[in-house]
Amino acid sequence: MKHPDLLLFHGQLLSPPAAAVALGPDVSLSSIPDGAIVGHRGKIVDLGPTAEVLERTTPGPNTRMIDAQGRVVLPGWVDPHTHMLYADDRLDEMELRHQGKGYLEILAAGGGILKSMRDFRAAADGVLAESLLERLKEAVQSGTVALEVKSGYGLSLEEEMRALRVIDRIAKATGVPITPTLMAAHALPPEVDRQAYLKECDLAATQAAKAGLAKAADVFVEEGVFTPEEGRRLLTHARQAGLTMRLHADELAPSGGAELAAELGAASADHLTAATAAGLLQMAEAAVSAVVLPGTSFFLHRQPLDAERVRRAGLIAALATDCNPGSSPFRSMAMMVALAFHQNRFTVAEAITMATINAAHVLGEAATLGSLTVGKRCSLLVLSSHDVRDLVYRPGAQMTWAVVESGRVLIWQGRPTEEVEAWTIS
Ligand code: NIG
Ligand code: FE
């Protein structure tokens, strides 16, 4: 390399360690108060104090120079749990809940996920792709540089495969790393025999894995949705098909989801607001990550998962938006960091660790993402602030100055670049 592609200097570099960490008293971010990062061919090739890096680097005429002027520089956010592919909102349901109706009550009456199923089935591929793209842009604006997107509103073999194809299309159109997850087992579609649908989910797992359209499979294990026995059966099949196992577990009531995740050795169990202490401990012992979803507890007005419970269990915990039309319409990981601090009582360092390296770990991408480390993707978030605590001090404020994804500048001075504006679904 004669001249690097990118040189960011005078940044306040803050990074979690290069590998995932269990939460506990030692969680902290390493800091280089006046630091520089050299990017080449999409990767970080050097970093250190600005003076030292400048001495050993020769920028050329095509090197993108970024003077961060003392701003905070973090690894970009990784969002490891989203249902960002959906057709329409659920504003009416939000009001019903405000009047006292329960989330599962609305689902049982044919609303909730089933309303989203009807919307999804009625939407053309292009409409779905367009709306996913818009949400993805908003996520990038908050600093997201990689994310997971689940299927789960098609609820038939055909429609779930269609969902995965739309996700693939957007991954290719944007180049943003998207980990696709099959979530055919999101709800039981109406007028379909239960056993027949479980078989259809198995078939979807086999086909999705074979086509390379899904990396993981997820099951909503919850009273009134799928039982732990059904979850065990579906996920065992998915694993045999070559998919990673994920679970929506113990969101509304303790239903054995955390324990099942531990037994199966799943990559993660997510939600966990109603998980038992024993279930959380078993997860930690089995090295199953916990994905905390503060947007969902906020939006459903439920008790958030307390940080102390996560620390006590010694869990590798990650943060995600859970972006979906019913329980968490958030797209911003910056907002999740703020909610994790205020509502769950995680520290700033913990919340950032959860939204970066631990989130990358959940997606099996800790070797390529989630920290400022030579050899990883050059995927960075430069805050508009000089104090990282501003992230939680001003929830909802526009805090992004620049976003770099694998060396590509996607947000510059708070605005999407031409490259982002040119993303089309063709
Ligand atoms: O993670 N809990 C199940 N799935 C989603 C909600 C999906 C929906 O309501 O559309 C969740 O909260
Ligand atoms: Fe979810």
Side-chain angles (χ1 to χ4, degrees), residues 81 83 90 103 113 116 153 186 220 248 251 271 296 322 324-327:
H81 179 146
H83 310 253
R90 303 222 299 265
Y103 177 86
I113 295 171
S116 290
Y153 294 116
H186 199 186
F220 190 6
H248 280 63
E251 177 182 355
H271 284 292
T296 315
D322 195 16
N324 76 76
S327 67

Side-chain angles (χ1 to χ4, degrees), residues 80-100:
H81 179 146
T82 88
H83 310 253
M84 211 177 258
L85 176 65
Y86 60 87
D88 210 349
D89 58 47
R90 303 222 299 265
L91 292 163
D92 295 342
E93 179 187 322
M94 174 180 71
E95 298 223 281
L96 284 177
R97 273 201 315 277
H98 224 69
Q99 291 155 16

